Amino acid sequence: MSTDKRIPSPLFDGLQQMLANEDYQPNLQGAWLQDYQHAKSFLFSYRGSLDTFNSYRREIERFLQWCQLKANKSLKQICREDFEEFLSFCQKPLNSWIALKVENRFIEKDGIRLPNSKWRPFVVKISKVETKAGKQPDKNNYLLSEKAFKVAFAVISSFYNYLLQEEYTLINPVLLIRQKSKYIRKQQSTSTIRRLSELQWGYVIETAEMMANENPEQHARTFFIMNSLYGMYLRISELTATTRWTPTMGDFHRDSDGRWWFLTVGKGNKERKISVSTEMLNALKNYRRSLKLSPLPSPNEKTPLFAKYNDGKPMKSTRYIRELVQTCFDRACERLIEDNQREEAGQLAVATVHWLRHTGISDDVKTRPREHVRDDAGHSSSSITDKYIDIELHERHNSAKRKRIKPEFIEKS
């Protein structure tokens, strides 16, 4: 592999830091500085959704750095062939462009935000199972996923449409690619939803309850988190404080008919009201009792849903919650192995927090009207919810079980 000494430096800081320091610009000149300024304006148009901003920042940053350091062209000069070369580069980037772990883009030194020299545009990752087995990430094994390619296509195409509207460029090179199948495979049907089996979920929620009984001070919170992720289909980002929303106890509220709801602001900065089941409400009561609060929240109560232990302020990082969930997963795996359910334990070992949301939706769509599940999950359309209905897959597999390979007369002979 080529050893290019030109190592990319981060261009864009976090959203809040960029808003607080809008005059900052990297050491760029001429057309590349203009490219950066247009990209910055484009990214700021997504300031209403931090998740979208972060996703777009990653793709735009990679592309700008490739234009400057590899193609030596400005955005105005990029053609279809150039963009295809960029995609090929993403499939096999230089080792000097790859990090072994996620690093902050900028660091603070003496009160000044500076680019982090350890940061890279690409990061090689390994699974949880491989990490536990002692395997180390290897830059030579970097692989950009199919989903990542789709995101790159969509984001950079959207960026060029913006540049066309700003009359900064004359073409959108992404739209000129006729054979996208070289990079993106077509799927026969909807992809498999990653979720826990009924047995795995049973062990997980039972384990969470056991942990809460053993150590209420720490794991009453764990039990409530597991209930929330499964029972209300929450994303982990909806449990922590962000610039757009801070979840509080008062977000659980009762309407005039005595029905309980939970209000959240999630993906795409969309507000949604989630119906709260009786079991979910009981989990809330138990959690609040562990915090020495009344069983149910008062109207407009501002107590953070999850507060830091040291100062009582709202929790902003999802890392702590991920660690609690992973601890529960690990203990559930141990119990499955003890009960000779090694295959189930092996599958649970690769599960992530988001699987709990998928599991809750998949289980509920079997018994609840899909429109109700759709609205509680915050899906933009019923077609997304339909991906969680696997009745046809079950029927297809059951019919395949009866297929014969060896002719019947041979078995009788």
Side-chain angles (χ1 to χ4, degrees):
M1 178 176 288
S2 172
T3 56
D4 195 321
K5 299 297 183 182
R6 295 173 296 174
I7 298 176
S9 180
L11 300 173
F12 305 104
D13 204 341
L15 177 58
Q16 292 306 307
Q17 289 79 11
M18 289 180 66
L19 291 173
N21 188 16
E22 293 196 38
D23 294 332
Y24 169 83
Q25 59 187 37
N27 186 23
L28 298 172
Q29 295 179 347
W32 288 340
L33 179 57
Q34 292 180 331
D35 288 352
Y36 167 81
Q37 291 168 339
H38 278 83
K40 182 178 175 181
S41 297
F42 173 72
L43 291 174
F44 272 176
S45 66
Y46 293 94
R47 68 181 71 188
S49 172
L50 183 60
D51 291 337
T52 303
F53 172 86
N54 289 338
S55 175
Y56 277 45
R57 177 185 59 177
R58 180 185 63 244
E59 303 303 330
I60 298 301
E61 195 162 39
R62 284 176 179 171
F63 185 56
L64 287 183
Q65 286 160 340
W66 180 85
C67 290
Q68 296 165 14
L69 301 179
K70 297 301 297 177
N72 196 28
K73 291 183 177 181
S74 73
L75 293 171
K76 294 180 179 180
Q77 298 172 304
I78 296 296
C79 62
R80 174 182 60 80
E81 291 83 2
D82 293 322
F83 185 68
E84 289 184 333
E85 285 186 24
F86 167 70
L87 292 175
S88 297
F89 178 82
C90 289
Q91 287 177 311
K92 198 67 176 176
L94 298 172
N95 278 351
S96 59
W97 287 54
I98 304 173
L100 296 178
K101 65 176 183 177
V102 177
E103 298 279 359
N104 291 328
R105 283 173 163 78
F106 284 71
I107 56 176
E108 195 157 317
K109 186 176 182 180
D110 299 328
I112 301 175
R113 300 285 292 180
L114 298 173
N116 183 0
S117 60
K118 295 181 180 180
W119 176 87
R120 296 292 183 271
F122 301 90
V123 180
V124 61
K125 298 179 181 179
I126 59 177
S127 69
K128 293 189 299 181
V129 175
E130 290 173 321
T131 301
K132 290 180 180 179
K135 185 175 181 180
Q136 298 296 321
D138 184 347
K139 292 182 180 181
N140 294 319
N141 294 334
Y142 177 83
L143 180 66
L144 197 67
S145 69
E146 187 81 5
K147 181 179 179 180
F149 264 113
K150 291 180 180 179
V151 172
F153 266 99
V155 172
I156 298 175
S157 181
S158 177
F159 180 39
Y160 264 100
N161 286 337
Y162 168 84
L163 296 177
L164 284 170
Q165 292 172 358
E166 293 293 308
E167 299 182 349
Y168 186 66
T169 59
L170 297 177
I171 63 168
N172 181 343
V174 184
L175 295 181
L176 298 178
I177 296 180
R178 291 185 174 87
Q179 292 184 325
K180 293 185 176 64
S181 58
K182 287 194 302 182
Y183 307 99
I184 301 176
R185 294 190 301 270
K186 292 183 179 180
Q187 294 181 330
Q188 177 187 357
S189 58
T190 56
S191 58
T192 302
I193 301 296
R194 293 178 175 266
R195 57 195 174 202
L196 304 184
S197 68
E198 184 178 6
L199 181 65
Q200 290 163 358
W201 169 242
Y203 269 76
V204 166
I205 194 61
E206 186 179 53
T207 299
E209 189 170 18
M210 290 168 55
M211 292 166 62
N213 291 333
E214 294 168 2
N215 186 351
E217 186 175 346
Q218 180 178 4
H219 290 302
R221 171 179 286 187
T222 303
F223 185 53
F224 178 69
I225 288 171
M226 305 305 280
N227 275 271
S228 300
L229 295 170
Y230 174 90
M232 296 192 296
Y233 326 141
L234 294 183
R235 301 176 180 90
I236 191 171
S237 59
E238 294 167 348
L239 292 176
T240 54
T242 65
T243 54
R244 64 172 181 259
W245 186 255
T246 298
T248 65
M249 291 292 184
D251 294 326
F252 282 95
H253 59 281
R254 181 170 52 191
D255 63 20
S256 57
D257 294 318
R259 296 169 298 204
W260 280 87
W261 304 86
F262 179 71
L263 183 68
T264 188
V265 174
K267 192 175 180 180
N269 206 27
K270 295 178 182 177
E271 182 179 286
R272 77 180 188 276
K273 190 166 66 170
I274 304 169
S275 52
V276 177
S277 68
T278 301
E279 286 195 29
M280 186 67 236
L281 195 62
N282 289 335
L284 173 65
K285 292 177 182 177
N286 291 332
Y287 174 51
R288 285 177 60 83
R289 288 191 187 101
S290 74
L291 299 174
K292 305 297 189 291
L293 298 172
S294 60
L296 291 171
S298 58
N300 301 316
E301 183 178 331
K302 299 303 181 184
T303 306
L305 192 61
F306 296 106
K308 299 177 185 176
Y309 285 125
N310 56 350
D311 58 14
K313 293 182 179 179
M315 189 176 296
K316 295 182 179 180
S317 173
T318 61
R319 182 179 300 175
Y320 175 71
I321 295 178
R322 291 184 190 278
E323 289 175 353
L324 289 179
V325 173
Q326 188 59 54
T327 298
C328 183
F329 281 171
D330 290 344
R331 288 194 58 177
C333 282
E334 292 171 1
R335 294 181 60 229
L336 282 165
I337 292 173
E338 290 171 359
D339 293 343
N340 294 319
Q341 298 288 346
R342 292 187 175 275
E343 185 176 349
E344 295 281 352
Q347 293 170 355
L348 177 58
V350 301
T352 66
V353 174
H354 202 61
W355 286 30
L356 296 176
R357 169 178 160 86
H358 288 172
T359 305
I361 295 172
S362 300
D363 289 349
D364 278 6
V365 82
K366 298 173 185 176
T367 57
R368 297 181 65 197
R370 68 171 183 171
E371 292 81 7
H372 298 176
V373 176
R374 175 199 64 198
D375 293 343
D376 278 348
H379 290 157
S380 57
S381 69
S382 295
S383 61
I384 298 176
T385 313
D386 287 346
K387 295 179 181 178
Y388 293 83
I389 303 174
D390 55 7
I391 295 174
E392 292 182 0
L393 287 177
H394 287 310
E395 292 177 349
R396 177 148 60 100
H397 193 271
N398 286 337
S399 69
K401 282 183 177 180
R402 297 188 292 271
K403 291 194 302 182
R404 302 186 66 85
I405 294 177
K406 186 183 293 183
E408 187 175 356
F409 75 87
I410 293 179
E411 292 183 349
K412 292 181 178 179
S413 61

